[in-house]
Amino acid sequence: MTQPDLASLPITAFEDVATLSARRSARWRPGLAAMQGKALHSEIFASSREAAGAGAALALALDDWRCAPRADGQEAEDRRGVLWVQTREAARLGGRPYRAGLPQDLQGRVIHVLAEKAEDALFALEEGLRCRELAFVIGEVAGNPKALDFTASRRLTLTAQKHGVPLFLLRIDATRDLSSARMRWDVTCAPSAAPEWNAQAPGDPAWKAELFRARSHAPGEWILAEKDAQLTAGKTRENADRAVANWTAGLQHRRMPRRA
């Protein structure tokens, strides 16, 4: 097989690839909503045996909510409500939201909807995304229902983008299928850090989270944790991060010099 003649390729081809590579290499991190805006449609895959998914979905939602800049004319404090939609099967597997366990600034804002079927839950989610008086929407669906196909996922994405209301959809005991979600996570439990003052007390929540698909970021794995109402992320795959960096450096090295 003959090798392509790199000199014959247009310079713009190398520049476009290098620009795309640099953009993809901008890794996800907590607080990114302050610069890039909210992640308007995210999916979080989790097992019902660990009960980690709802906490992780809420932590990601709160990170975007607290870090996103306030637009001109908006109040300094976001007083909007939060819609939490569950199918009955999802509630059976993971339980319902417990008000006393929610962050204090959310305890009086959550509107809970319990849907009998996935079709009803998708309808409630889409109607919630149309309401700009909601700060964000959390959904919980068990398994891979037929109603949640790519077309339905696309409808949720477009509605979230049109009205600017983020959706964090928890997929309980589901397999990875087609979706138009902008960010897709796989989450499991992780050991908490030891409490500073009481060794017998439970530590802050922590999750091992894999971002396996994202429109604007390279995949990666992190240990997510909440401390003092802030989301933190520690790396778990140093070798993978180094490989991505080397791949980017290699592309930049291959860029052809401009002709005079």
Side-chain angles (χ1 to χ4, degrees):
M1 182 176 179
T2 59
Q3 296 294 326
D5 182 8
L6 297 181
S8 64
L9 296 176
I11 298 299
T12 53
F14 293 92
E15 292 177 339
D16 291 345
V17 172
T19 302
L20 178 61
S21 170
R23 189 184 308 162
R24 289 274 296 169
S25 298
R27 313 308 298 276
W28 174 89
R29 63 182 183 277
L32 205 59
M35 293 176 289
Q36 297 187 357
K38 302 172 184 176
L40 289 174
H41 185 186
S42 300
E43 285 188 345
I44 299 93
F45 289 75
S47 169
S48 62
R49 293 175 298 178
E50 298 185 348
L58 182 59
L60 291 169
L62 291 175
D63 179 63
D64 270 14
W65 180 52
R66 289 167 175 160
C67 296
R70 305 288 293 155
D72 294 338
Q74 290 183 318
E75 297 181 2
E77 182 182 358
D78 191 345
R79 303 173 186 271
R80 294 178 296 172
V82 172
L83 179 64
W84 198 310
V85 179
Q86 292 179 300
T87 61
R88 189 170 293 278
E89 178 64 10
R92 186 186 69 81
L93 292 172
R96 302 187 185 190
Y98 181 53
R99 175 178 293 184
L102 295 173
Q104 190 171 7
D105 51 356
L106 281 188
Q107 291 182 0
R109 302 184 181 192
V110 173
I111 304 167
H112 181 242
V113 173
L114 186 63
E116 288 293 333
K117 300 179 295 184
E119 290 86 346
D120 301 332
L122 294 175
F123 174 79
L125 289 173
E126 189 170 344
E127 289 300 307
L129 295 176
R130 296 179 192 276
C131 181
R132 298 183 181 180
E133 292 304 314
L134 294 174
F136 56 85
V137 176
I138 292 181
E140 294 188 41
V141 177
N144 295 79
K146 290 184 178 179
L148 186 53
D149 56 9
F150 184 80
T151 301
S153 175
R154 181 69 173 161
R155 285 176 60 92
L156 293 175
T157 300
L158 293 176
T159 306
Q161 289 179 339
K162 181 178 180 179
H163 299 280
V165 179
L167 169 64
F168 295 83
L169 181 59
L170 176 59
R171 306 286 305 275
I172 303 174
D173 294 340
T175 57
R176 300 177 183 182
D177 50 6
L178 290 177
S179 171
S180 68
R182 297 297 184 246
M183 302 183 75
R184 307 188 83 190
W185 297 86
D186 202 327
V187 174
T188 59
C189 290
S192 300
E196 184 175 1
W197 302 109
N198 183 358
Q200 303 301 319
D204 296 318
W207 308 271
K208 182 180 179 181
E210 177 192 3
L211 180 62
F212 63 88
R213 180 183 179 275
R215 186 175 185 180
S216 304
H217 306 287
E221 287 186 4
W222 295 268
I223 296 296
L224 303 182
E226 271 199 332
K227 187 173 181 60
D228 299 330
Q230 289 189 339
L231 185 65
T232 63
K235 293 182 178 178
T236 61
R237 296 179 59 183
E238 296 289 347
N239 292 336
D241 293 340
R242 194 176 301 112
V244 172
N246 292 339
W247 180 72
T248 303
L251 282 177
Q252 293 175 346
H253 180 71
R254 290 176 58 188
R255 287 181 60 189
M256 300 296 291
R258 290 183 178 276
R259 297 189 179 94

